Amino acid sequence: MFDTEQEKIRIKKLKLLKEKGVIPYPYKFKVTYTIQDIQTKAPELIAKKKSIQSAGRITAIRGHGKTIFVDLQDRYGKIQIYLQSKLLGDKYEIFKLLDIGDFIGVKGELFETHTKELTILVQDFTLLSKSLHPLPEKWHGLQDKEIRYRKRHLDLIMNPDVKNVFLTKVKLIKEIRNFLDNRGFIEVDTPILQPVYGGAFAEPFKSHYKALDRDFYLRISDELYLKKLIIGGLDKVYEFGKDFRNEGIDRLHNPEFTQLELYQAYADYEDIMQIVEQLFKNLLTKITCPTVKREGKNEITYQGIKIKFKIPWQRTTFFDALKKYTGKDLKNSDISEITRIAEENEILILKGYHRGKILNSLFETLVQPNLIEPTFIIDYPKDISPLAKEKRGDPSLVERFELFVAGIELGNAFSELNDPLEQLERFKSQQEFRNKGDLDAQIMDKDFIEALEFGMPPTGGLGLGIDRIVMLFTDSHSIRDVILFPQLRT
RNA sequence: GCGCCGCUAGCUCAAUUAGGUAGAGCAACGGACUCUUAAUCCGUAGGUUCAGGGUUCAAUUCCCUGGCGGCGUACCA
């Protein structure tokens, strides 16, 4: 546990401190000014020679014989403190048993050094926690991505920009809440452990509930429960939910991720598109990440690509988009033609792939990477959208859209299917796909059908990938950079 | 899953070309130093080179297997 030379030395220092009567892990310390407070109120604090108390982690020590300069870091900032042996007497020697990484509380007065650096002249200090491991190197920080993800505490200590990313995530979620609350939506929560999973195409994580002696699944979406709330009359609901999908990990996928789902009664997918546009307009105005430069309120530069969010965003039908990038109108094509195009483009077709699924593969490979500016792809084939309502005037399609920005899928929405008899038929055809080998086909949920039978008003519904939106706002290349503890191999 | 790349001191990196006693900076330890800020100066210590196997007189270096990670790709509509 304490194998290295430096760790052994720290353990020894801990023992020495105890022998000298220093409590290495005390209970509390009164902070009268955070480091950020000190910085904003500096002129006043200096002028009035106010006694201030602040606390933080030691990140650098520069000794000069009878004086020591120390950098102290707290949640929002870093400040220099100055210790003089003539002021501290015997305690000055105690400080020599402290290390980079230790937490201390200090009491003193603020002043400016000759080089105009804000500094606390320390009259007294208190050890608040002894750190038993050396921190990574001060200048290069912590680079090793594996350690950064596995030991996020070290990443946060050493790489201040990381903090900004997660503070931006918090602000963004808070702002979405505000936006929805102001429009009369109510926030709810629905089960994560579900006896039947549904609402998306994905394999679930499976668990076992001993008391009931039956298998449960971690939800892959909140959809069916939220629609029950619409049936129950809540009319406008949303949930920020952790969803779990038993699938691969890459720069856009983490097995557990945060999704916003919202449902609005008496609305259709057109209304939802407008909500999404307004929501982003609001976020673009209010959310800025300190480490990401933005030129204007209507644009974001993501990974070097400038993206404009001028409303209304582009709306293109699924088949028009395919036509643009394949040169062929595939709306009435048969499966052999689609298969041929897939093969021409070296798109893998696995067991259980039916027409819609191959079309979707074509779309993802040939169209999606080109969708840089915010784009609503609308009106999807029915067989890959079992929860969406038929397109008015075209029974082969459904009223559904997906939102793409920077080639990344950010959201999925429909005019929700509310005809219980048709929903039953859709589930049945999903069952057939499943029997033919499509393991992601959706599961019959009789409980949900029965709820629909009581009557669900026309409803528009939406799912938004929050982590991916945060990627956009923080210019993060990987979803791992916007999830504090991303999944890694154990 | 597949492909490529990587893994060396607590951290950041050298040394691998063509096999020949594994180095530096920071951090640490001892010493000097009352405005430094990547403090400076003098000195010291610190290594199962990811693991296991193989080739060789000799392996961080070459080969094989495994582990972990990164990037890409596939799967995940």
Side-chain angles (χ1 to χ4, degrees), chain A residues 273-286:
Chain A
M273 278 185 252
Q274 286 174 24
I275 288 176
V276 172
E277 286 173 339
Q278 291 303 317
L279 174 65
F280 269 78
K281 185 183 173 189
N282 192 52
L283 292 176
L284 286 159
T285 313
K286 292 185 177 160

Side-chain angles (χ1 to χ4, degrees), chain A residues 449-463:
Chain A
I449 296 278
E450 198 213 74
L452 272 188
E453 286 165 5
F454 283 95
M456 181 171 90
T459 297
L462 168 71

Side-chain angles (χ1 to χ4, degrees), chain A residues 57 94 110 250-251 258 288 293-294 389 447 450:
Chain A
R57 189 189 289 274
I94 296 281
L110 195 61
D250 62 31
R251 69 172 273 253
T258 302
T288 48
K293 278 187 188 158
R294 299 248 318 265
K389 206 166 182 168
D447 208 42
E450 198 213 74

Side-chain angles (χ1 to χ4, degrees), chain A residues 116-180:
Chain A
K116 299 291 175 198
E117 172 96 11
L118 273 185
T119 304
I120 301 172
L121 179 62
V122 177
Q123 275 133 7
D124 194 14
F125 68 86
T126 310
L127 176 61
L128 298 178
S129 184
K130 184 80 190 131
S131 169
L132 300 176
H133 299 289
L135 286 178
E137 205 243 359
K138 62 183 169 189
W139 187 243
H140 300 90
L142 180 65
Q143 303 287 336
D144 186 312
K145 284 198 177 175
E146 179 173 2
I147 302 177
R148 289 187 49 211
Y149 296 143
R150 286 192 196 278
K151 303 188 181 181
R152 188 66 95 176
H153 47 289
L154 291 181
D155 193 25
L156 287 163
I157 294 166
M158 300 312 298
N159 302 321
D161 288 351
V162 174
K163 227 182 273 180
N164 285 323
V165 167
F166 290 101
L167 291 173
T168 301
K169 184 173 189 177
V170 169
K171 278 190 279 178
L172 187 131
I173 290 172
K174 196 174 269 183
E175 197 49 51
I176 295 176
R177 277 210 170 87
N178 273 340
F179 177 90
L180 294 174

Side-chain angles (χ1 to χ4, degrees), chain A residues 296-364:
Chain A
K297 294 293 186 195
N298 267 324
E299 57 79 39
I300 274 184
T301 300
Y302 179 71
Q303 304 289 289
I305 303 165
K306 195 170 178 178
I307 300 163
K308 288 183 185 147
F309 285 80
K310 194 170 181 299
I311 295 174
W313 300 347
Q314 193 173 330
R315 289 151 167 76
T316 307
T317 70
F318 181 84
F319 283 105
D320 281 350
L322 270 176
K323 190 174 169 185
K324 184 171 175 188
Y325 293 100
T326 63
K328 294 197 174 61
D329 190 345
L330 298 174
K331 185 159 179 300
N332 300 308
S333 59
D334 59 23
I335 191 160
S336 61
E337 185 183 3
I338 299 166
T339 305
R340 191 174 50 75
I341 296 172
E343 281 165 356
E344 277 169 21
N345 288 282
E346 295 176 351
I347 294 166
L348 197 64
I349 296 172
L350 297 178
K351 186 170 175 285
Y353 272 35
H354 48 83
R355 179 174 181 271
K357 209 154 168 158
I358 301 170
L359 280 170
N360 197 61
S361 292
L362 287 180
F363 179 86
E364 287 191 338

